[in-house]
Amino acid sequence: MMADRLVCRECHRVQSSGEEEACVACGSSSLTEDWAGYVIISHPDESEIASEMQVTEPGKYALKVR
């Protein structure tokens, strides 16, 4: 499971190992380990979920971030 991974509080992007200083998607330094569930978005321009989440880049995104 990915429970030990960090997530950006701003854009909800799940960070890969070694990316702990700032979000690779938006540059925010506001990261947290307190999150639940995630969705993988591969084609954000064709996805209603990506549109609802305001996601423009492919990747893994947390559904709930505290």
Side-chain angles (χ1 to χ4, degrees):
M1 191 76 197
M2 298 173 57
D4 60 338
R5 297 267 178 108
L6 294 174
V7 170
C8 177
R9 283 190 176 104
E10 302 298 320
C11 71
H12 292 203
R13 177 93 179 235
V14 177
Q15 304 289 60
S16 299
S17 298
E19 298 173 345
E20 287 96 20
E21 293 181 19
C23 176
V24 296
C26 72
S28 172
S29 60
S30 181
L31 305 176
T32 183
E33 292 180 355
D34 193 6
W35 60 279
Y38 72 97
V39 62
I40 298 173
I41 297 176
S42 56
H43 301 284
D45 52 331
E46 301 171 11
S47 169
E48 290 182 33
I49 294 172
S51 176
E52 185 69 27
M53 292 179 69
Q54 300 177 346
V55 169
T56 58
E57 296 293 320
K60 296 177 185 173
Y61 293 87
L63 296 174
K64 185 172 185 179
V65 178
R66 293 178 216 92

